[in-house]
Amino acid sequence: MAEAIIETSHLSKHFKGFKAVDDISIHIEPDTIHALIGANGAGKTTCFNLLTKFLTPTTGSIRFKGQDITGLKPDQVARLGMVRSFQISAVFGHLSVLENVKLALQRHRGESYDFWASRRRLDHQRERALTLLDDVGLLDVAETPAAELPYGRKRALELATTLALDPEVMLLDEPLAGMGTEDVGRTAELIRSVARGRTVLMVEHNLGVVAELCDRITVLARGEVLVEGDYDSVSRDERVIESYIGGAQQHA
């Protein structure tokens, strides 16, 4: 097993006696696409919130590139290179698509808005923002207010703003939620593209996309790790079939 870029050891989160995450130990290898899957209430989003420090664990530890980050704050984790998206698209609707990305670029540098920046810096920033928009297929709508984008393209913009932070690890929380078939295919290919040279950890319910994209999968059930492995081994595991895949088929 390769050295982990993210590793948790006996990670737990309890809410007034309820164990949302219970003794989870996971191993995320660098330069892979790794999925967290499981039925509703399995603990996937709680696990994301723990990794990115939006929640403090009740017990256990989290290591990023060998460094213990259990006690860090969300902004400190982001500066180390681990950045997350959310289930709900988080863009500034009143700003243009281009302005959203430029704002993210400035946030990455830790500076205030560039009212007095030199023309050279502003030109470089604009070029970088346009390159990112080209990477996610939004160059044609660069000057469009973000609020006017259809849902799927808003999620693409969110990916561009996440990429502007130059993360080593991207955590994507249900990036395909609410999308139609055409947007699902386009966004899945986009995730594959932006994953080159970085690590992606994603929560996703679309098993077809998980099978196509992901190198490894961790299946959660009732806050615990049920099984971890590649799609072929996970999909044949009787516990997964019974608790997740089989249950989904019964409700289809």
Side-chain angles (χ1 to χ4, degrees):
M1 184 177 289
E3 185 175 346
I5 189 167
I6 301 174
E7 192 167 28
T8 71
S9 179
H10 304 293
L11 194 65
S12 299
K13 181 62 181 178
H14 303 166
F15 296 97
K16 295 183 178 179
F18 170 70
K19 297 179 180 180
V21 166
D22 187 21
D23 197 34
I24 284 182
S25 295
I26 57 176
H27 180 102
I28 312 297
E29 297 180 7
D31 300 323
T32 61
I33 303 178
H34 194 121
L36 288 180
I37 69 172
N40 289 334
K44 303 180 299 296
T45 297
T46 300
C47 189
F48 255 41
N49 286 333
L50 289 168
L51 291 176
T52 50
K53 307 319 315 294
F54 286 87
L55 287 175
T56 300
T58 304
T59 61
S61 64
I62 306 164
R63 302 187 74 84
F64 176 58
K65 297 171 62 176
Q67 176 182 344
D68 190 329
I69 63 169
T70 312
L72 298 187
K73 298 178 180 179
D75 62 314
Q76 294 173 313
V77 171
R79 281 196 290 271
L80 287 175
M82 186 160 62
V83 178
R84 70 169 293 178
S85 70
F86 294 85
Q87 288 175 302
I88 300 172
S89 182
V91 298
F92 295 98
H94 63 289
L95 297 179
S96 73
V97 169
L98 179 61
E99 288 168 336
N100 268 273
V101 179
K102 288 170 66 177
L103 195 61
L105 286 169
Q106 289 165 206
R107 179 65 186 90
H108 175 54
R109 294 203 319 271
E111 299 177 5
S112 60
Y113 201 83
D114 286 325
F115 290 113
W116 314 115
S118 68
R119 179 170 295 277
R120 178 180 296 179
R121 176 182 292 182
L122 292 176
D123 286 346
H124 174 74
Q125 183 188 95
R126 178 181 175 85
E127 289 172 7
R128 175 61 181 148
L130 290 173
T131 297
L132 287 168
L133 290 179
D134 193 23
D135 289 343
V136 300
L138 293 178
L139 192 57
D140 60 319
V141 292
E143 302 300 336
T144 302
E148 296 180 12
L149 295 181
Y151 181 75
R153 303 200 89 186
K154 282 182 182 175
R155 299 311 299 262
L157 174 56
E158 186 179 80
L159 274 176
T161 58
T162 303
L163 288 170
L165 301 176
D166 196 23
E168 191 168 354
V169 177
M170 294 177 65
L171 293 91
L172 307 179
D173 195 358
E174 298 191 29
L176 308 176
M179 290 188 182
T181 303
E182 183 178 342
D183 281 337
V184 165
R186 182 186 299 116
T187 305
E189 284 305 312
L190 177 56
I191 292 170
R192 189 197 307 278
S193 175
V194 301
R196 296 188 186 104
R198 56 173 54 89
T199 305
V200 173
L201 176 62
M202 59 189 291
V203 167
E204 185 49 56
H205 287 289
N206 189 319
L207 293 183
V209 170
V210 169
E212 181 69 21
L213 280 183
C214 297
D215 302 295
R216 291 187 67 79
I217 299 163
T218 300
V219 184
L220 301 182
R222 297 177 296 278
E224 300 178 357
V225 174
L226 195 62
V227 65
E228 187 172 293
D230 60 25
Y231 183 81
D232 287 342
S233 62
V234 164
S235 63
R236 291 195 300 265
D237 191 286
E238 292 183 2
R239 295 165 297 174
V240 177
I241 294 170
E242 180 180 355
S243 71
Y244 182 57
I245 297 176
Q249 290 172 344
Q250 291 173 11
H251 291 90

